[in-house]
Amino acid sequence: MPSPGEGRGVDSPDPSVPPVQAGRGGGELMVSVARRNLFHERARLTLSVLGVGFSILLIAVLSATYAGFERTAGIYIDHLGGDVVIMQEGAQELFHSFSVLPANVSAQVQQVNGVASADGVLTRRVEVHGGDGDFVIAVVGFESAGGPWRVAQGTARPGASGIVLDRVAAAREGLGVGDDLHLLGRTFRVVGLSEETNVFTLQYAFVDRAEAEGLLLPPDTVSFVLARVAAGEDPAAVRDRINAEVAGVTAMTLAEFRENSTRVILDAFDPILAVLYATGFLVGIMVVGQILYAATLEKMREYAILRALGASGRRVAGIVVQQALLASVLGFAVGVGLSAALGAVVYEFVPAMPLSFQPVSFLWLLLAAVGMSLIASLAPLRRVLRVDPATVFRR
Amino acid sequence: MQSLVAEQLTKDFGEGQARVRAVAGVDLQVSSGEVVLIMGPSGSGKTTLLFLLGALLRPTSGRVRVDGEDVAAAPSRRLPAIRLRHFGFVFQDFNLLANLTARENVEVVLNLAGVRGVDARRRSGRLLKGLGLGKRADHLPEKLSGGEKQRVAIARALANHPPAILADEPTANLDRENGRQVARLLRDAAHGQGAAVVMVSHDARVVEFADRVLRMEDGRITDAGASPRGMEPARGLPSSPGGERMMKDPVCGMMVDEKSAKHTSSHGGRTFYFCSPGCKRTFDQDPPRYRH
């Protein structure tokens, strides 16, 4: 039964509501139109969100890989425990420069004003045999500075005939604490597994300096010297003094050494990562763009209806943009979830892959998601802005 | 008071030899509270005229004034606001937004006009209730019948109290009862709200709801100002103001002047008159279906 007033027909204007003020039109239902159009087609929404999500995942993994490279490339240097690095003259970084110094350089450096201590460190890439076969690692002979700083298992002090092996290399080669490694004619027993000593394709192992002398390098030589500066001394000033007073060396602050060393690694990957970033971004744009375009074409008549009813082009375009933004935010959330899950899986099963998710990078990823959705909405927007409102009369 | 005025309204499509004149120098005045029905064969320019009146298409020449404002001369960027403020549209296909409820379909034009929140909900609810849709307000269009959809469309057209309502074949997709109801609502909109209603239709059933019936052919209004209430029926059918006998197109139901009809067909000893070649073709394919 109709309620009071039901079906009374068309009456004179209702005085209880304010008059229409055309021209300053708001669009609270425009948000609903955008949201409902998007959520109405669940399959399409899912594809769109997954499209953004997987693009975000790809970019996040690349970003985390880059950060992982940067972190792992520098993490050994961060833990060297010195303030100034002294290498053979002309050598600039850890990974590709070859540096051999006479062992007595340590004593010369020690004499420089402002130096508190100076330790020689030996390092060399060597082929080792053990576990499942032969492999190459960078062996470091250290005394007090330059050794492992975090161990997953066992001890950080190798001792006589002991070796601390990188956890990633150990896992890959099927080695563990107590196993033997053969290198340069000597046998070492694995006494510890170190963390954070995997630099992309290169892993570290650590032995006592006494074991390394005459094994990794000719007798009475070291690879580089690590100097600690006295309290209150500026490392840069000490660096300059060493360069001036010690012949045949290049001294750098630890920060310079780190920058040089990480740059040489990252520079090789920058172009590759840039291409992959762009690919991920473009894939996201293509997926969202295609889905958004199809959704827009499907609703073109409704856009024409709105235009005919008096909606401005800007307001109708807003529906498309809102849909794009909704898809991007949902896709971002999915992408972050997938990234977290993948990060956990990679850490467990692919330890050689140095993923390092940085909180700040997620802000950039959100901006990337929004950016790709906005770019993806350009083609649909073009169609919507050109829609002829008169088409609603055509049958 | 004349709410909607067209002066020497002309619309050409194409250029040079390909130019087609869809509307040719139409003069039209529709007063507040008046329902004008425009009838004519397909291709006669009715819908183009409606486009021009409703600021959906720019005329090649001539003027359209609604509430004193020349909408034909307005810059393009102002046209949406003009449509919003001056016109309510009712379409043959209802053209409701599929993912909004009946109430929201009405609210959306109120929102566009700056009426929001409780005010918009109250006004849309009141309109729908007035049109007998109080209990259907929260249904999506797919859950509404054709008649209900068209009533929602009428509520939407009335929501901003426009001075003019333009309806394109509003009863074409409705059965007899719903068609009459919709036509009556449009008439009530004119009489109750003081809107100038221009209705384009093939449907002879709506003639009785019009204050004036105009006939259009080849872009011109050929028969202006006939009051359906003054028409003398001949064999149960109304005659034109000149006294010619009006015959009903058996396919679409439109009234056709017996003398000037261009499309005729004989069947079973009777002559049938059609508004257009399309209706004749449809009839010729299956005459028994339309002989009644």
Side-chain angles (χ1 to χ4, degrees), chain A residues 1 3-14 16-18 20-22 25-26 28-30 33 36-37 40 299 301-302 305 307-311 315 389-390 392-393 395, chain B residues 51 56 80 83-84 89 91-93 95 97-100 104 107-108 111-114 116-117 119 122-123 126 129-135 158 160-161 168 185 189 192-193:
Chain A
M1 178 186 281
S3 54
E6 179 90 4
R8 61 181 161 70
V10 181
D11 215 340
S12 54
D14 179 0
S16 64
V17 291
V20 170
Q21 294 180 26
E28 61 191 67
L29 268 173
M30 290 299 182
V33 173
R36 291 192 200 173
N37 282 354
H40 185 70
K299 293 290 178 188
R301 189 172 179 84
E302 292 203 352
I305 293 168
R307 293 301 308 274
L309 294 176
R315 214 162 279 294
V392 296
F393 285 94
R395 294 173 280 275
Chain B
F51 287 2
L56 288 160
R83 288 196 291 269
L84 185 64
F89 293 96
F91 311 96
Q92 176 180 336
D93 296 330
N95 283 334
L97 301 182
N99 294 323
L100 296 187
E104 290 166 338
E107 271 183 58
V108 81
N111 286 174
L112 286 172
R116 299 185 184 186
D119 287 340
R122 192 190 303 166
R123 187 182 290 188
R126 193 178 166 92
K129 198 173 175 184
L131 295 174
L133 292 167
K135 291 183 176 171
L158 298 174
N160 289 329
H161 304 303
D168 182 42
L185 287 170
Q193 287 202 358

Coordinates of all heavy atoms in Angstrom, one line a residue, chain A residues 1 3-14 16-18 20-22 25-26 28-30 33 36-37 40 299 301-302 305 307-311 315 389-390 392-393 395, chain B residues 51 56 80 83-84 89 91-93 95 97-100 104 107-108 111-114 116-117 119 122-123 126 129-135 158 160-161 168 185 189 192-193:
Chain A
M1 N 0.8 -1.2 0.0 CA 0.0 0.0 0.0 C 0.9 1.3 0.0 O 1.8 1.4 0.8 CB -0.9 0.0 1.2 CG -1.8 1.3 1.3 SD -2.7 1.3 2.9 CE -4.0 0.2 2.5
S3 N 2.5 4.7 0.8 CA 2.5 5.6 2.0 C 1.9 6.9 1.7 O 1.7 7.3 0.5 CB 3.9 5.7 2.4 OG 4.7 6.2 1.4
P4 N 1.6 7.7 2.7 CA 1.0 9.0 2.5 C 1.8 9.9 1.5 O 3.0 10.0 1.7 CB 1.0 9.7 3.9 CG 1.0 8.5 4.9 CD 1.8 7.4 4.2
G5 N 1.2 10.4 0.6 CA 1.8 11.2 -0.4 C 2.4 10.5 -1.6 O 2.8 11.0 -2.6
E6 N 2.3 9.1 -1.4 CA 2.9 8.2 -2.5 C 2.0 8.4 -3.7 O 0.8 8.3 -3.7 CB 2.9 6.8 -2.0 CG 3.4 5.8 -3.0 CD 4.9 5.6 -2.9 OE1 5.5 6.1 -2.0 OE2 5.4 4.8 -3.8
G7 N 2.7 8.6 -4.9 CA 2.0 8.6 -6.2 C 1.1 9.8 -6.4 O 0.2 9.7 -7.1
R8 N 1.4 10.9 -5.6 CA 0.5 12.0 -5.8 C 0.8 12.8 -7.1 O 0.2 13.8 -7.4 CB 0.6 12.9 -4.6 CG 1.9 13.5 -4.4 CD 2.0 14.4 -3.2 NE 3.4 14.5 -2.7 CZ 4.3 15.2 -3.4 NH1 4.0 15.8 -4.5 NH2 5.5 15.4 -2.9
G9 N 1.8 12.3 -7.8 CA 2.1 13.0 -9.1 C 3.2 14.1 -8.9 O 3.8 14.2 -7.9
V10 N 3.2 14.9 -10.0 CA 4.2 15.9 -10.0 C 3.6 17.2 -9.5 O 2.6 17.6 -9.9 CB 4.7 16.2 -11.5 CG1 5.7 17.3 -11.5 CG2 5.2 14.9 -12.1
D11 N 4.3 17.7 -8.5 CA 3.7 18.8 -7.7 C 4.6 20.1 -8.0 O 5.6 20.1 -8.7 CB 3.8 18.5 -6.2 CG 2.5 19.1 -5.5 OD1 2.0 20.0 -6.1 OD2 2.2 18.6 -4.5
S12 N 4.2 21.1 -7.3 CA 5.0 22.4 -7.4 C 6.2 22.2 -6.6 O 6.3 21.3 -5.8 CB 4.2 23.5 -6.9 OG 3.7 23.2 -5.6
P13 N 7.3 23.0 -6.9 CA 8.5 22.9 -6.2 C 8.4 22.8 -4.7 O 7.6 23.4 -4.1 CB 9.3 24.1 -6.6 CG 8.7 24.5 -7.9 CD 7.3 24.2 -7.8
D14 N 9.3 21.9 -4.1 CA 9.3 21.7 -2.7 C 9.9 22.9 -2.0 O 11.1 23.2 -2.2 CB 10.1 20.4 -2.4 CG 10.2 20.1 -0.9 OD1 9.6 20.9 -0.1 OD2 10.8 19.1 -0.6
S16 N 10.7 23.2 1.0 CA 11.5 22.9 2.2 C 13.0 22.6 1.9 O 13.8 22.5 2.8 CB 10.9 21.6 2.9 OG 11.1 20.5 2.0
V17 N 13.3 22.6 0.6 CA 14.7 22.4 0.3 C 15.3 23.6 -0.4 O 14.5 24.4 -1.1 CB 14.9 21.2 -0.6 CG1 14.6 19.9 0.2 CG2 14.0 21.2 -1.8
P18 N 16.5 23.9 -0.3 CA 17.1 25.1 -0.9 C 17.1 25.0 -2.4 O 17.1 24.0 -3.0 CB 18.5 25.1 -0.4 CG 18.9 23.7 0.0 CD 17.6 23.1 0.4
V20 N 18.2 25.3 -6.3 CA 19.4 24.8 -7.0 C 20.3 26.0 -7.3 O 19.8 27.1 -7.8 CB 19.0 24.1 -8.3 CG1 20.2 23.9 -9.2 CG2 18.3 22.8 -8.0
Q21 N 21.6 25.9 -7.1 CA 22.5 27.0 -7.5 C 23.5 26.4 -8.5 O 24.5 25.9 -8.2 CB 23.3 27.4 -6.2 CG 22.4 28.1 -5.2 CD 23.1 28.6 -4.0 OE1 24.3 28.9 -4.1 NE2 22.4 28.7 -2.9
A22 N 23.0 26.4 -9.7 CA 23.8 25.8 -10.8 C 25.1 26.6 -10.9 O 25.2 27.7 -10.7 CB 23.0 25.9 -12.1
G25 N 28.4 23.2 -8.9 CA 28.0 21.9 -8.7 C 29.0 21.0 -8.0 O 30.2 21.0 -8.3
G26 N 28.6 20.3 -7.0 CA 29.5 19.3 -6.3 C 29.2 18.0 -6.9 O 28.3 17.8 -7.7
E28 N 29.4 14.6 -5.0 CA 29.6 13.5 -4.0 C 29.2 12.2 -4.6 O 29.9 11.2 -4.3 CB 28.9 13.8 -2.7 CG 27.4 13.9 -2.8 CD 26.9 14.4 -1.4 OE1 27.1 15.6 -1.1 OE2 26.2 13.7 -0.8
L29 N 28.2 12.1 -5.4 CA 27.8 10.8 -6.0 C 28.7 10.4 -7.1 O 28.7 9.3 -7.6 CB 26.4 10.9 -6.5 CG 25.3 10.4 -5.5 CD1 23.9 10.6 -6.0 CD2 25.5 8.9 -5.1
M30 N 29.5 11.4 -7.6 CA 30.5 11.0 -8.7 C 31.5 10.0 -8.1 O 31.9 9.2 -8.9 CB 31.2 12.3 -9.2 CG 30.3 13.2 -9.9 SD 29.7 12.4 -11.4 CE 28.7 13.8 -12.1
V33 N 29.8 6.8 -8.3 CA 29.7 6.3 -9.7 C 31.0 5.7 -10.0 O 31.1 4.5 -10.6 CB 29.4 7.5 -10.7 CG1 29.5 7.0 -12.1 CG2 28.0 8.0 -10.4
R36 N 31.4 2.4 -7.8 CA 30.5 1.3 -8.2 C 30.8 0.8 -9.6 O 30.7 -0.4 -9.8 CB 29.1 1.8 -8.1 CG 28.8 2.0 -6.6 CD 27.3 2.2 -6.4 NE 27.1 2.9 -5.2 CZ 25.9 3.3 -4.8 NH1 24.9 3.1 -5.5 NH2 25.8 3.9 -3.6
N37 N 31.2 1.7 -10.5 CA 31.5 1.2 -11.8 C 32.7 0.3 -11.7 O 32.8 -0.8 -12.4 CB 31.8 2.3 -12.8 CG 30.6 3.0 -13.3 OD1 29.5 2.5 -13.0 ND2 30.7 4.1 -14.0
H40 N 31.7 -3.0 -9.7 CA 30.6 -3.8 -10.3 C 31.1 -4.9 -11.1 O 30.6 -6.0 -11.0 CB 29.8 -2.9 -11.2 CG 28.5 -3.6 -11.7 ND1 27.5 -3.9 -10.9 CD2 28.3 -4.0 -13.0 CE1 26.6 -4.5 -11.7 NE2 27.0 -4.6 -12.9
K299 N 31.2 2.2 -20.5 CA 30.3 3.1 -19.9 C 30.2 4.4 -20.6 O 29.8 5.4 -20.0 CB 30.9 3.4 -18.4 CG 30.8 2.2 -17.5 CD 29.4 1.9 -17.1 CE 29.3 0.7 -16.3 NZ 27.9 0.2 -16.1
R301 N 28.3 5.5 -22.8 CA 26.9 6.0 -22.9 C 26.6 6.7 -21.6 O 25.9 7.8 -21.6 CB 25.9 4.9 -23.2 CG 24.5 5.4 -23.5 CD 23.6 4.3 -24.0 NE 22.3 4.8 -24.2 CZ 21.9 5.4 -25.3 NH1 22.8 5.5 -26.3 NH2 20.7 5.9 -25.5
E302 N 27.0 6.2 -20.5 CA 26.7 6.8 -19.2 C 27.4 8.1 -19.0 O 26.9 9.1 -18.4 CB 27.1 5.9 -18.0 CG 26.1 4.7 -18.0 CD 26.1 4.0 -16.6 OE1 26.9 4.4 -15.7 OE2 25.2 3.1 -16.4
I305 N 25.4 10.4 -20.9 CA 24.2 10.8 -20.2 C 24.5 11.9 -19.2 O 23.8 12.9 -19.1 CB 23.7 9.6 -19.4 CG1 23.1 8.5 -20.4 CG2 22.6 10.0 -18.4 CD1 22.8 7.2 -19.7
R307 N 27.0 14.0 -19.3 CA 27.2 15.3 -20.0 C 25.9 15.9 -20.4 O 25.7 17.1 -20.3 CB 28.1 15.1 -21.2 CG 29.5 14.6 -21.0 CD 30.3 15.6 -20.1 NE 30.3 16.9 -20.6 CZ 31.1 17.5 -21.5 NH1 32.1 16.7 -22.0 NH2 31.1 18.7 -21.9
A308 N 25.0 15.1 -20.9 CA 23.7 15.6 -21.4 C 22.9 16.2 -20.2 O 22.3 17.3 -20.3 CB 22.9 14.5 -22.0
L309 N 23.1 15.6 -19.0 CA 22.4 16.1 -17.9 C 23.0 17.4 -17.3 O 22.4 18.0 -16.4 CB 22.3 15.0 -16.8 CG 21.5 13.8 -17.1 CD1 21.6 12.7 -16.0 CD2 20.0 14.1 -17.4
G310 N 24.2 17.7 -17.7 CA 24.8 18.9 -17.3 C 26.1 18.8 -16.5 O 26.6 19.8 -16.0
A311 N 26.7 17.6 -16.5 CA 28.0 17.4 -15.9 C 29.1 18.0 -16.8 O 29.0 17.8 -18.0 CB 28.3 16.0 -15.6
R315 N 34.2 17.2 -14.5 CA 33.6 16.3 -13.5 C 33.5 14.8 -14.0 O 33.7 13.9 -13.3 CB 32.2 16.8 -13.2 CG 31.8 16.6 -11.8 CD 30.7 17.5 -11.4 NE 31.1 18.8 -11.0 CZ 31.9 19.1 -10.0 NH1 32.3 18.2 -9.2 NH2 32.2 20.3 -9.7
P389 N 27.4 14.5 -25.9 CA 26.2 14.2 -25.1 C 25.0 13.8 -25.9 O 24.1 13.2 -25.4 CB 26.0 15.5 -24.3 CG 26.8 16.5 -25.0 CD 27.9 15.8 -25.7
A390 N 25.0 14.3 -27.2 CA 23.8 14.0 -28.0 C 23.7 12.5 -28.3 O 22.6 12.1 -28.7 CB 23.9 14.8 -29.3
V392 N 23.2 10.2 -26.4 CA 22.2 9.5 -25.6 C 20.9 9.5 -26.3 O 20.0 8.7 -25.9 CB 22.1 10.1 -24.2 CG1 23.4 10.0 -23.4 CG2 21.7 11.6 -24.3
F393 N 20.7 10.3 -27.3 CA 19.4 10.3 -28.0 C 19.4 9.2 -29.1 O 18.4 9.0 -29.7 CB 19.1 11.6 -28.6 CG 18.7 12.7 -27.6 CD1 19.6 13.5 -27.0 CD2 17.3 12.7 -27.2 CE1 19.2 14.4 -26.0 CE2 16.9 13.7 -26.2 CZ 17.8 14.5 -25.7
R395 N 19.7 5.7 -30.9 CA 19.4 4.3 -30.4 C 20.0 3.3 -31.3 O 20.3 3.5 -32.4 CB 17.8 4.2 -30.4 CG 17.2 5.1 -29.4 CD 15.7 5.1 -29.5 NE 15.2 5.9 -30.6 CZ 15.0 7.3 -30.5 NH1 15.3 7.8 -29.4 NH2 14.6 8.0 -31.5
Chain B
F51 N 17.8 18.3 -30.0 CA 19.2 18.6 -29.7 C 19.4 20.1 -29.7 O 20.1 20.6 -28.8 CB 20.1 18.1 -30.8 CG 20.3 16.6 -30.9 CD1 19.6 15.7 -30.0 CD2 21.1 16.0 -31.8 CE1 19.8 14.4 -30.1 CE2 21.3 14.7 -31.9 CZ 20.6 13.8 -31.0
L56 N 22.3 20.7 -26.9 CA 23.2 19.6 -27.2 C 23.9 19.7 -28.5 O 24.8 18.9 -28.9 CB 22.4 18.3 -27.1 CG 21.9 17.9 -25.7 CD1 20.7 16.9 -25.8 CD2 23.0 17.3 -24.9
P80 N 27.2 22.8 -20.4 CA 26.7 21.9 -19.4 C 25.9 22.6 -18.3 O 24.9 22.1 -17.9 CB 28.0 21.3 -18.9 CG 29.0 21.4 -20.0 CD 28.6 22.7 -20.6
R83 N 22.5 23.4 -19.6 CA 21.6 22.2 -19.6 C 21.2 21.8 -18.2 O 20.0 21.5 -18.0 CB 22.4 21.0 -20.2 CG 22.6 21.1 -21.7 CD 23.0 19.8 -22.4 NE 24.3 19.3 -22.0 CZ 25.4 19.6 -22.6 NH1 25.4 20.3 -23.7 NH2 26.5 19.1 -22.2
L84 N 22.1 21.9 -17.3 CA 21.8 21.6 -15.9 C 20.7 22.5 -15.3 O 19.8 22.1 -14.6 CB 23.0 21.7 -15.0 CG 23.0 21.2 -13.6 CD1 22.6 19.7 -13.5 CD2 24.3 21.5 -12.9
F89 N 15.8 16.3 -19.1 CA 15.7 15.4 -20.3 C 15.1 14.1 -20.0 O 15.4 13.5 -18.9 CB 17.1 15.1 -20.9 CG 17.8 16.3 -21.5 CD1 18.7 17.1 -20.7 CD2 17.5 16.7 -22.8 CE1 19.3 18.2 -21.3 CE2 18.1 17.9 -23.3 CZ 19.0 18.6 -22.6
F91 N 14.5 10.4 -21.9 CA 14.9 9.6 -23.1 C 14.0 8.4 -23.3 O 13.5 7.8 -22.4 CB 16.4 9.2 -23.0 CG 17.3 10.3 -22.5 CD1 17.6 10.5 -21.2 CD2 17.8 11.2 -23.5 CE1 18.5 11.5 -20.8 CE2 18.6 12.2 -23.0 CZ 19.0 12.4 -21.7
Q92 N 14.0 7.9 -24.6 CA 13.3 6.7 -24.9 C 13.9 5.5 -24.1 O 13.2 4.7 -23.6 CB 13.4 6.4 -26.4 CG 12.8 5.1 -26.8 CD 12.8 4.8 -28.2 OE1 13.0 5.7 -29.0 NE2 12.8 3.5 -28.6
D93 N 15.2 5.5 -24.0 CA 15.9 4.3 -23.4 C 16.1 4.6 -21.9 O 17.0 3.9 -21.3 CB 17.2 4.0 -24.1 CG 17.0 3.6 -25.5 OD1 15.9 3.0 -25.8 OD2 17.8 3.8 -26.4
N95 N 17.9 5.8 -19.9 CA 19.3 6.3 -19.7 C 19.6 6.6 -18.2 O 20.0 7.7 -17.9 CB 19.5 7.5 -20.5 CG 19.8 7.2 -22.0 OD1 20.3 6.1 -22.3 ND2 19.6 8.1 -22.9
L97 N 21.7 5.6 -14.8 CA 23.1 5.1 -14.5 C 22.9 3.8 -13.8 O 22.3 3.7 -12.8 CB 23.9 6.1 -13.7 CG 24.0 7.5 -14.2 CD1 24.9 8.4 -13.3 CD2 24.7 7.4 -15.6
A98 N 23.5 2.7 -14.5 CA 23.1 1.4 -14.1 C 23.5 1.0 -12.7 O 22.9 0.2 -12.0 CB 23.8 0.4 -15.1
N99 N 24.6 1.6 -12.2 CA 25.1 1.2 -10.8 C 24.7 2.1 -9.7 O 25.1 2.0 -8.6 CB 26.7 1.1 -10.9 CG 27.1 0.0 -11.8 OD1 26.5 -1.0 -11.9 ND2 28.2 0.3 -12.5
L100 N 23.7 3.0 -10.0 CA 23.2 3.9 -9.0 C 21.7 3.5 -8.8 O 21.0 3.1 -9.7 CB 23.2 5.3 -9.4 CG 24.6 6.0 -9.5 CD1 24.5 7.5 -9.7 CD2 25.5 5.7 -8.3
E104 N 19.6 7.6 -6.2 CA 20.9 8.2 -6.5 C 20.9 8.7 -7.9 O 21.6 9.7 -8.2 CB 22.0 7.1 -6.3 CG 22.2 6.8 -4.9 CD 23.1 5.6 -4.7 OE1 23.1 4.7 -5.6 OE2 23.6 5.4 -3.6
E107 N 19.5 12.0 -7.3 CA 20.4 12.8 -6.5 C 21.6 13.3 -7.4 O 22.2 14.4 -7.1 CB 21.0 12.0 -5.4 CG 20.2 12.0 -4.1 CD 20.8 11.2 -3.0 OE1 22.0 11.6 -2.7 OE2 20.2 10.3 -2.5
V108 N 22.0 12.5 -8.3 CA 23.2 12.8 -9.1 C 23.1 14.2 -9.8 O 24.0 15.0 -9.8 CB 23.7 11.7 -10.0 CG1 22.9 11.7 -11.3 CG2 25.2 11.8 -10.3
N111 N 23.3 16.8 -7.0 CA 24.7 17.0 -6.7 C 25.4 17.9 -7.7 O 26.1 18.8 -7.3 CB 25.4 15.7 -6.6 CG 25.1 14.9 -5.4 OD1 25.5 13.8 -5.2 ND2 24.3 15.4 -4.5
L112 N 25.1 17.6 -8.9 CA 25.8 18.5 -10.0 C 25.4 19.9 -9.9 O 26.2 20.8 -10.2 CB 25.4 17.9 -11.4 CG 26.0 16.6 -11.8 CD1 25.4 16.1 -13.1 CD2 27.5 16.8 -12.0
A113 N 24.2 20.1 -9.4 CA 23.7 21.5 -9.3 C 24.0 22.1 -7.9 O 23.6 23.2 -7.6 CB 22.2 21.5 -9.5
G114 N 24.7 21.4 -7.1 CA 25.2 22.0 -5.8 C 24.3 21.6 -4.6 O 24.6 22.1 -3.5
R116 N 23.4 19.0 -2.0 CA 24.1 17.8 -1.5 C 23.5 17.2 -0.2 O 22.6 17.8 0.4 CB 25.5 18.1 -1.2 CG 26.3 18.6 -2.3 CD 27.7 18.8 -2.0 NE 28.5 19.4 -3.1 CZ 29.8 19.6 -3.0 NH1 30.5 19.2 -2.0 NH2 30.4 20.1 -4.0
G117 N 24.0 16.1 0.2 CA 23.7 15.5 1.5 C 22.2 15.3 1.7 O 21.4 14.8 0.8
D119 N 19.7 17.4 2.0 CA 18.9 18.2 1.1 C 18.6 17.4 -0.2 O 17.4 17.3 -0.7 CB 19.5 19.5 0.7 CG 19.4 20.5 1.9 OD1 18.6 20.2 2.8 OD2 20.2 21.4 1.9
R122 N 16.5 14.3 0.6 CA 15.1 14.6 0.8 C 14.4 15.0 -0.5 O 13.3 14.5 -0.7 CB 15.1 15.8 1.8 CG 13.7 16.1 2.4 CD 13.6 17.4 3.1 NE 14.6 17.4 4.2 CZ 14.9 18.6 4.8 NH1 14.3 19.7 4.5 NH2 15.7 18.6 5.8
R123 N 15.0 15.8 -1.3 CA 14.3 16.2 -2.5 C 14.1 15.0 -3.5 O 13.1 14.8 -4.0 CB 15.1 17.3 -3.2 CG 14.4 17.8 -4.4 CD 15.2 18.9 -5.2 NE 15.3 20.1 -4.4 CZ 15.8 21.2 -4.9 NH1 16.2 21.3 -6.1 NH2 15.9 22.3 -4.1
R126 N 11.4 12.7 -2.1 CA 10.1 13.4 -2.2 C 9.6 13.2 -3.7 O 8.4 12.9 -3.9 CB 10.2 14.8 -1.8 CG 8.8 15.5 -1.6 CD 9.1 17.0 -1.2 NE 8.0 17.8 -1.3 CZ 7.1 18.0 -0.3 NH1 7.4 17.4 0.9 NH2 6.1 18.8 -0.5
K129 N 8.7 9.6 -4.4 CA 7.4 9.3 -3.7 C 6.3 9.8 -4.4 O 5.2 9.2 -4.6 CB 7.5 9.8 -2.3 CG 6.5 9.2 -1.3 CD 6.8 9.8 0.1 CE 5.8 9.3 1.1 NZ 6.0 9.9 2.4
G130 N 6.4 11.0 -4.9 CA 5.4 11.7 -5.6 C 5.0 11.0 -6.9 O 3.9 11.0 -7.4
L131 N 6.0 10.2 -7.4 CA 5.8 9.5 -8.7 C 5.5 8.0 -8.4 O 5.6 7.2 -9.3 CB 7.0 9.6 -9.6 CG 7.3 11.1 -10.1 CD1 8.6 11.1 -10.8 CD2 6.2 11.6 -11.0
G132 N 5.2 7.7 -7.2 CA 4.8 6.4 -6.8 C 5.9 5.4 -6.7 O 5.7 4.2 -6.8
L133 N 7.1 5.9 -6.5 CA 8.3 5.0 -6.4 C 9.0 5.1 -5.1 O 10.1 4.7 -4.9 CB 9.3 5.5 -7.5 CG 8.9 5.2 -9.0 CD1 9.8 6.0 -9.9 CD2 8.9 3.8 -9.3
G134 N 8.2 5.5 -4.1 CA 8.8 5.6 -2.7 C 9.4 4.3 -2.2 O 10.5 4.3 -1.6
K135 N 8.8 3.2 -2.6 CA 9.3 1.9 -2.1 C 10.3 1.3 -3.0 O 10.9 0.2 -2.8 CB 8.2 0.9 -1.8 CG 7.3 1.4 -0.6 CD 6.3 0.4 -0.3 CE 5.5 0.8 0.9 NZ 4.3 0.0 1.2
L158 N 13.0 16.4 -13.4 CA 12.3 17.5 -12.6 C 13.1 18.0 -11.4 O 12.8 19.0 -10.9 CB 11.0 16.9 -12.1 CG 9.9 16.5 -13.1 CD1 8.7 15.9 -12.4 CD2 9.5 17.7 -13.9
N160 N 15.8 19.5 -10.6 CA 16.4 20.8 -10.5 C 15.4 21.9 -10.9 O 15.8 23.1 -11.1 CB 17.7 21.0 -11.3 CG 18.8 20.2 -10.7 OD1 18.8 20.1 -9.4 ND2 19.7 19.7 -11.5
H161 N 14.1 21.5 -11.0 CA 13.0 22.5 -11.4 C 13.4 23.3 -12.7 O 13.4 24.5 -12.7 CB 12.7 23.4 -10.3 CG 12.3 22.7 -9.0 ND1 11.3 21.8 -8.9 CD2 12.9 22.8 -7.8 CE1 11.2 21.4 -7.7 NE2 12.1 21.9 -7.0
D168 N 12.3 12.7 -25.5 CA 12.5 12.1 -26.8 C 11.8 10.7 -26.8 O 12.4 9.8 -26.1 CB 14.0 12.0 -27.2 CG 14.2 11.4 -28.5 OD1 13.5 11.7 -29.5 OD2 15.1 10.5 -28.6
L185 N 2.3 12.2 -16.5 CA 3.3 12.8 -15.6 C 4.0 14.0 -16.2 O 4.2 15.0 -15.6 CB 4.3 11.8 -15.2 CG 3.8 10.7 -14.2 CD1 4.8 9.6 -14.0 CD2 3.5 11.3 -12.8
A189 N 3.9 17.7 -15.0 CA 5.1 18.5 -14.8 C 4.9 19.9 -15.3 O 5.3 20.9 -14.7 CB 6.3 17.8 -15.4
G192 N 1.9 21.5 -13.2 CA 2.2 21.6 -11.8 C 3.4 22.5 -11.5 O 3.5 23.3 -10.6
Q193 N 4.5 22.3 -12.3 CA 5.7 23.0 -12.1 C 5.9 24.2 -13.0 O 6.9 25.0 -12.9 CB 7.0 22.1 -12.3 CG 7.1 21.0 -11.2 CD 8.6 20.5 -11.1 OE1 9.4 20.9 -11.9 NE2 8.8 19.7 -10.2

